[in-house]
Amino acid sequence: MHLSSVVPWGRNLAEYQRMFGLTPRDLEGKILGVGDGPASFNAELSAKGGQVVSIDPIYKFSGQEIARRIDEITPVMRAELNKHSANYLWKDFSDVDQLVACRTSSMSIFLEDYEHGIREGRYLEGVLPRLPASGVYDLALCSHLLFLYEENLNFEFHINSLLEMCRVSDEARVYPLVNQAGQQSRFLNPSLKRLNEAGYHCHVVQVGYCFQRGANEMLVIRRR
Ligand SMILES: C[S@@+](CC[C@H](N)C(=O)[O-])C[C@H]1O[C@@H](n2cnc3c(N)ncnc32)[C@H](O)[C@@H]1O
């Protein structure tokens, strides 16, 4: 993987809590964040005493390299958000400037924590559909990767990644369930069918977070 092909963009703990309906009890468990990238979820939760490990291919790069890529990509993201602002609900964020400031703040918190977090084993390089972990987590979370990028990641990738998240955790949650156009992913129903056949209970649950239009649901998967 080349860093030039990566768009690092990260959300914060409060957003993760709302995207995944995380309760105080959920946050006390051992959590695996899959594809966390430069989100500040891990840094913020760890600072509060939480137990969280994040996995992402960008963790093979140094903090300096990731910071440089964030600086390159931020104006591009700002331009894209301005161009497609109608695809988003401007409720939690009043405008593009406020959103970019929030993302920049999250990514700064991540960068400040990164080297320390690597030493503590909280940021692990890894690439779905394989995870470098065995079944030790209470909860595996994946935000803004599966379903959203259905144009780039095929169905086999999706089902193998979902089964892999279930292999290493008691419960998996994925958000959002829409593609980049805001339509329900065409892989959602076939994934539910395959997961059911493999012995899992799947629930589509409404959540209290919605920034991209249509993105107000998560998938919860548990072994039957
Ligand atoms: C849009 S970002 C979302 C970051 C974070 N989850 C959030 O919501 O703020 C998508 C992340 O998925 C990571 N990613 C891309 N392909 C991946 C793969 N095959 N396995 C795991 N992570 C991947 C990227 O490096 C990037 O950090």
Side-chain angles (χ1 to χ4, degrees):
M1 178 198 231
H2 292 286
L3 197 50
S4 58
S5 66
V6 175
V7 179
W9 204 233
R11 292 162 188 82
N12 60 30
L13 171 60
E15 290 180 285
Y16 267 65
Q17 284 178 264
R18 291 173 65 207
M19 293 187 294
F20 293 111
L22 297 172
T23 63
R25 192 161 173 208
D26 290 332
L27 293 173
E28 282 170 13
K30 288 182 82 174
I31 300 181
L32 182 69
V34 180
D36 275 346
S40 58
F41 170 63
N42 186 321
E44 291 184 78
L45 186 53
S46 299
K48 288 174 189 278
Q51 302 173 73
V52 52
V53 169
S54 297
I55 286 180
D56 198 290
I58 67 163
Y59 301 153
K60 78 174 188 190
F61 299 104
S62 70
Q64 271 186 343
E65 288 172 312
I66 298 174
R68 220 175 298 129
R69 183 66 186 144
I70 289 172
D71 287 345
E72 271 171 19
I73 214 67
T74 299
V76 178
M77 292 301 285
R78 183 189 291 280
E80 282 297 301
L81 284 158
N82 275 314
K83 191 167 155 195
H84 301 291
S85 70
N87 293 350
Y88 302 97
L89 287 171
W90 297 100
K91 202 167 42 130
D92 294 330
F93 304 102
S94 55
D95 55 25
V96 170
D97 285 345
Q98 200 196 13
L99 174 77
V100 172
C102 179
R103 295 281 176 270
T104 303
S105 158
S106 304
M107 293 189 285
S108 300
I109 294 169
F110 160 80
L111 287 169
E112 274 167 35
D113 178 56
Y114 184 53
E115 304 292 344
H116 179 57
I118 286 184
R119 284 195 297 276
E120 291 192 340
R122 289 189 284 109
Y123 296 110
L124 299 181
E125 180 192 345
V127 190
L128 282 173
R130 284 280 171 81
L131 289 172
S134 50
V136 288
Y137 296 92
D138 297 305
L139 194 53
L141 307 174
C142 183
S143 127
H144 292 88
L145 175 61
L146 296 173
F147 301 121
L148 185 63
Y149 296 108
E150 65 176 18
E151 292 311 316
N152 308 92
L153 305 168
N154 65 23
F155 177 65
E156 281 311 303
F157 176 90
H158 276 74
I159 194 65
N160 290 334
S161 297
L162 293 166
L163 289 169
E164 183 71 344
M165 286 174 65
C166 294
R167 180 182 69 78
V168 302
S169 66
D170 293 339
E171 180 177 322
R173 299 184 194 174
V174 181
Y175 173 93
L177 308 182
V178 295
N179 59 22
Q180 286 179 285
Q183 309 297 326
Q184 185 181 90
S185 166
R186 68 182 187 277
F187 296 149
L188 179 61
N189 285 328
S191 296
L192 299 181
K193 183 167 180 291
R194 285 276 288 273
L195 288 163
N196 262 304
E197 287 164 1
Y200 292 96
H201 261 311
C202 299
H203 301 277
V204 172
V205 179
Q206 190 152 352
V207 295
Y209 181 89
C210 187
F211 175 52
Q212 184 193 4
R213 286 185 192 278
N216 63 346
E217 291 175 331
M218 69 169 165
L219 173 61
V220 178
I221 312 163
R222 286 191 207 104
R223 186 164 278 290
R224 268 204 292 270

